[in-house]
């Protein structure tokens, strides 16, 4: 089962920041939080990942709470091309098992 | 660098047939994972290969198999196709088996079983 919970859908106005929340209350100390997005049946696209510190790259910022039980992906200036399903994933470390366990994600609609 | 490539992109088969899907990882990547995506189940892990050896396996029946070649290219095979095997099959590659190593996905092969 997925170890994360996300709202099923969100809306955002074009040009505004999109803040996508994710709960991962059972995360263990060495597990990373990964974010991917999938645009209409294409292959998932890697966005960002982090362990405990906040991270930023050219696509987005990742804010992880101090207790690591939740995180927020921030798209600072959303565009119509950011409309996609966003997946928050905790990397399964059981027995060196590296598989990604996917939930149903958040469907983000960026509106003009 | 070229990304992960998968062939074919689309495939139509009938029940009982078998199918082979191919994945070429990013140059230099040695680990390849396969996932099945359906509307009802989302993305589900099939298996992972590294250095021509299966390292991890998901909860799929034995009809689903795979292999990896010495150049890191991978194939997956589904025998005795069922209607429920209709799905988007995704391949992801990463450099090695380091736990935090990022996986990069290909565009997928869309399989329709009639």
């Amino acid at each position: 089962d997925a170890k994360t919970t996300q709202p099923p859908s969100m809306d955002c106005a074009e040009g505004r920041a999109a803040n996508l929340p994710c709960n991962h209350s059972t995360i263990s100390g060495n597990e990373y939080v990964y974010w991917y997005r999938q645009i209409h049946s294409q292959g998932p696209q890697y966005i960002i990942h982090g362990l405990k510190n906040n991270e930023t790259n050219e696509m987005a910022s990742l804010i992880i709470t101090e207790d690591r039980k939740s995180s927020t992906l921030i798209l600072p200036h959303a565009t119509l091309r950011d409309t996609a399903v966003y997946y928050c994933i905790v990397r399964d470390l059981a027995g060196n098992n590296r598989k990604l366990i996917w939930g149903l994600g958040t469907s983000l609609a960026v509106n003009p | 660098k070229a990304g992960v490539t998968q062939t074919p992109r689309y495939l139509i088969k009938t029940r009982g047939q078998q199918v082979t899907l191919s994945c070429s990882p990013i140059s230099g990547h040695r680990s390849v994972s396969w996932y099945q995506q359906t509307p009802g189940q989302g993305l589900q892990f099939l298996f992972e290969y590294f250095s021509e050896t299966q390292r991890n396996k998901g909860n799929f029946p034995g009809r689903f198999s795979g292999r990896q070649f010495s150049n890191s290219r991978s194939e997956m095979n589904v025998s005795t196709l069922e209607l429920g095997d209709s799905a988007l099959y995704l391949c992801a590659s990463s450099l090695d088996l380091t736990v935090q190593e990022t996986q990069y996905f290909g565009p997928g092969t869309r399989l329709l079983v009639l």
Side-chain angles (χ1 to χ4, degrees), chain B residues 58-82:
Chain B
N59 297 323
F60 279 80
R63 300 185 297 108
F64 292 82
S65 63
R67 59 177 175 168
Q68 186 180 35
F69 302 95
S70 58
N71 61 358
S72 296
R73 191 177 68 85
S74 177
E75 289 181 347
M76 67 162 283
N77 184 277
V78 187
S79 63
T80 319
L81 284 166
E82 301 177 358

Short mmCIF file of all heavy atoms in Angstrom, two decimals, chain B residues 58-82:
data_model
loop_
_atom_site.label_atom_id
_atom_site.label_comp_id
_atom_site.label_asym_id
_atom_site.label_seq_id
_atom_site.Cartn_x
_atom_site.Cartn_y
_atom_site.Cartn_z
N GLY B 58 7.62 -7.48 -7.97
CA GLY B 58 6.32 -7.12 -7.41
C GLY B 58 5.41 -8.33 -7.35
O GLY B 58 5.81 -9.46 -7.60
N ASN B 59 4.14 -8.08 -7.03
CA ASN B 59 3.18 -9.16 -6.85
C ASN B 59 2.37 -9.42 -8.11
O ASN B 59 1.18 -9.18 -8.17
CB ASN B 59 2.23 -8.82 -5.69
CG ASN B 59 2.97 -8.72 -4.38
OD1 ASN B 59 3.91 -9.47 -4.12
ND2 ASN B 59 2.58 -7.76 -3.56
N PHE B 60 3.04 -9.90 -9.12
CA PHE B 60 2.39 -10.24 -10.38
C PHE B 60 2.57 -11.73 -10.66
O PHE B 60 3.54 -12.34 -10.22
CB PHE B 60 2.98 -9.41 -11.53
CG PHE B 60 2.42 -8.02 -11.62
CD1 PHE B 60 2.88 -7.01 -10.80
CD2 PHE B 60 1.41 -7.73 -12.53
CE1 PHE B 60 2.36 -5.74 -10.86
CE2 PHE B 60 0.88 -6.45 -12.62
CZ PHE B 60 1.36 -5.45 -11.78
N PRO B 61 1.62 -12.32 -11.40
CA PRO B 61 1.74 -13.76 -11.69
C PRO B 61 2.94 -14.07 -12.57
O PRO B 61 3.51 -13.19 -13.20
CB PRO B 61 0.41 -14.09 -12.41
CG PRO B 61 -0.10 -12.78 -12.90
CD PRO B 61 0.37 -11.74 -11.94
N GLY B 62 3.29 -15.34 -12.63
CA GLY B 62 4.45 -15.78 -13.38
C GLY B 62 4.35 -15.53 -14.88
O GLY B 62 5.36 -15.65 -15.59
N ARG B 63 3.16 -15.17 -15.35
CA ARG B 63 3.02 -14.86 -16.79
C ARG B 63 3.84 -13.62 -17.16
O ARG B 63 4.16 -13.41 -18.32
CB ARG B 63 1.56 -14.57 -17.13
CG ARG B 63 0.60 -15.72 -16.86
CD ARG B 63 -0.81 -15.38 -17.36
NE ARG B 63 -1.42 -14.25 -16.67
CZ ARG B 63 -1.60 -13.05 -17.22
NH1 ARG B 63 -1.20 -12.81 -18.46
NH2 ARG B 63 -2.17 -12.08 -16.53
N PHE B 64 4.17 -12.83 -16.17
CA PHE B 64 4.96 -11.62 -16.38
C PHE B 64 6.42 -11.96 -16.08
O PHE B 64 6.75 -12.40 -14.98
CB PHE B 64 4.50 -10.49 -15.47
CG PHE B 64 3.13 -9.97 -15.81
CD1 PHE B 64 1.99 -10.63 -15.36
CD2 PHE B 64 2.98 -8.81 -16.56
CE1 PHE B 64 0.73 -10.15 -15.68
CE2 PHE B 64 1.72 -8.32 -16.88
CZ PHE B 64 0.59 -9.00 -16.44
N SER B 65 7.26 -11.76 -17.05
CA SER B 65 8.69 -12.05 -16.86
C SER B 65 9.51 -10.99 -17.55
O SER B 65 9.01 -10.22 -18.37
CB SER B 65 9.04 -13.43 -17.39
OG SER B 65 8.81 -13.49 -18.80
N GLY B 66 10.77 -10.97 -17.22
CA GLY B 66 11.63 -9.99 -17.85
C GLY B 66 13.05 -10.49 -17.93
O GLY B 66 13.38 -11.57 -17.42
N ARG B 67 13.88 -9.70 -18.57
CA ARG B 67 15.31 -9.99 -18.58
C ARG B 67 16.06 -8.72 -18.94
O ARG B 67 15.48 -7.76 -19.46
CB ARG B 67 15.63 -11.09 -19.56
CG ARG B 67 15.25 -10.81 -21.02
CD ARG B 67 15.68 -11.95 -21.91
NE ARG B 67 15.24 -11.78 -23.29
CZ ARG B 67 15.69 -12.53 -24.29
NH1 ARG B 67 16.57 -13.49 -24.08
NH2 ARG B 67 15.25 -12.33 -25.52
N GLN B 68 17.34 -8.74 -18.66
CA GLN B 68 18.19 -7.61 -18.99
C GLN B 68 19.43 -8.13 -19.70
O GLN B 68 19.98 -9.15 -19.33
CB GLN B 68 18.59 -6.83 -17.73
CG GLN B 68 19.35 -5.55 -18.03
CD GLN B 68 19.74 -4.79 -16.78
OE1 GLN B 68 20.04 -5.39 -15.74
NE2 GLN B 68 19.75 -3.47 -16.86
N PHE B 69 19.86 -7.40 -20.68
CA PHE B 69 21.01 -7.80 -21.48
C PHE B 69 22.28 -7.10 -20.98
O PHE B 69 22.22 -6.18 -20.17
CB PHE B 69 20.75 -7.47 -22.96
CG PHE B 69 19.51 -8.15 -23.49
CD1 PHE B 69 18.30 -7.48 -23.51
CD2 PHE B 69 19.56 -9.45 -23.95
CE1 PHE B 69 17.16 -8.09 -24.00
CE2 PHE B 69 18.42 -10.07 -24.43
CZ PHE B 69 17.22 -9.40 -24.46
N SER B 70 23.40 -7.52 -21.52
CA SER B 70 24.67 -6.98 -21.03
C SER B 70 24.82 -5.49 -21.33
O SER B 70 25.59 -4.79 -20.66
CB SER B 70 25.84 -7.76 -21.67
OG SER B 70 25.77 -7.68 -23.07
N ASN B 71 24.07 -4.97 -22.29
CA ASN B 71 24.14 -3.53 -22.58
C ASN B 71 23.08 -2.75 -21.78
O ASN B 71 22.83 -1.58 -22.08
CB ASN B 71 23.95 -3.28 -24.07
CG ASN B 71 22.59 -3.76 -24.58
OD1 ASN B 71 21.80 -4.31 -23.82
ND2 ASN B 71 22.34 -3.56 -25.86
N SER B 72 22.48 -3.40 -20.79
CA SER B 72 21.48 -2.84 -19.88
C SER B 72 20.08 -2.71 -20.49
O SER B 72 19.13 -2.42 -19.77
CB SER B 72 21.90 -1.48 -19.31
OG SER B 72 23.05 -1.63 -18.51
N ARG B 73 19.96 -2.94 -21.77
CA ARG B 73 18.61 -2.96 -22.36
C ARG B 73 17.79 -4.07 -21.71
O ARG B 73 18.35 -5.09 -21.28
CB ARG B 73 18.69 -3.17 -23.85
CG ARG B 73 17.40 -2.95 -24.61
CD ARG B 73 17.59 -3.11 -26.11
NE ARG B 73 17.89 -4.49 -26.49
CZ ARG B 73 16.95 -5.42 -26.71
NH1 ARG B 73 15.68 -5.12 -26.56
NH2 ARG B 73 17.31 -6.64 -27.07
N SER B 74 16.49 -3.84 -21.61
CA SER B 74 15.64 -4.81 -20.93
C SER B 74 14.41 -5.13 -21.76
O SER B 74 13.96 -4.30 -22.56
CB SER B 74 15.23 -4.28 -19.55
OG SER B 74 14.35 -5.16 -18.90
N GLU B 75 13.92 -6.31 -21.59
CA GLU B 75 12.65 -6.71 -22.19
C GLU B 75 11.75 -7.29 -21.12
O GLU B 75 12.23 -7.87 -20.15
CB GLU B 75 12.88 -7.79 -23.27
CG GLU B 75 13.55 -7.30 -24.53
CD GLU B 75 13.72 -8.41 -25.56
OE1 GLU B 75 13.55 -9.60 -25.21
OE2 GLU B 75 14.03 -8.06 -26.71
N MET B 76 10.45 -7.09 -21.30
CA MET B 76 9.51 -7.80 -20.45
C MET B 76 8.55 -8.57 -21.36
O MET B 76 8.24 -8.15 -22.48
CB MET B 76 8.75 -6.90 -19.50
CG MET B 76 7.77 -5.93 -20.12
SD MET B 76 6.59 -5.31 -18.88
CE MET B 76 5.48 -6.70 -18.72
N ASN B 77 8.12 -9.71 -20.88
CA ASN B 77 7.27 -10.60 -21.64
C ASN B 77 6.02 -10.92 -20.84
O ASN B 77 6.10 -11.14 -19.62
CB ASN B 77 8.03 -11.88 -21.97
CG ASN B 77 7.23 -12.82 -22.85
OD1 ASN B 77 6.41 -13.58 -22.34
ND2 ASN B 77 7.44 -12.75 -24.14
N VAL B 78 4.89 -10.89 -21.51
CA VAL B 78 3.65 -11.33 -20.87
C VAL B 78 3.10 -12.46 -21.73
O VAL B 78 2.85 -12.28 -22.93
CB VAL B 78 2.61 -10.20 -20.76
CG1 VAL B 78 1.42 -10.68 -19.93
CG2 VAL B 78 3.23 -8.95 -20.15
N SER B 79 2.93 -13.62 -21.12
CA SER B 79 2.41 -14.76 -21.86
C SER B 79 0.92 -14.94 -21.55
O SER B 79 0.41 -14.41 -20.55
CB SER B 79 3.17 -16.03 -21.49
OG SER B 79 2.99 -16.32 -20.12
N THR B 80 0.24 -15.66 -22.40
CA THR B 80 -1.19 -15.97 -22.23
C THR B 80 -1.95 -14.72 -21.79
O THR B 80 -2.51 -14.64 -20.69
CB THR B 80 -1.37 -17.09 -21.20
OG1 THR B 80 -0.39 -18.11 -21.38
CG2 THR B 80 -2.75 -17.73 -21.37
N LEU B 81 -1.97 -13.73 -22.66
CA LEU B 81 -2.57 -12.45 -22.33
C LEU B 81 -4.02 -12.57 -21.91
O LEU B 81 -4.79 -13.37 -22.46
CB LEU B 81 -2.45 -11.51 -23.52
CG LEU B 81 -1.07 -10.90 -23.76
CD1 LEU B 81 -0.98 -10.28 -25.15
CD2 LEU B 81 -0.75 -9.87 -22.69
N GLU B 82 -4.38 -11.74 -20.92
CA GLU B 82 -5.77 -11.63 -20.45
C GLU B 82 -6.24 -10.20 -20.69
O GLU B 82 -5.43 -9.28 -20.83
CB GLU B 82 -5.83 -11.97 -18.96
CG GLU B 82 -5.33 -13.36 -18.63
CD GLU B 82 -5.34 -13.64 -17.14
OE1 GLU B 82 -5.71 -12.73 -16.36
OE2 GLU B 82 -4.98 -14.77 -16.74
#
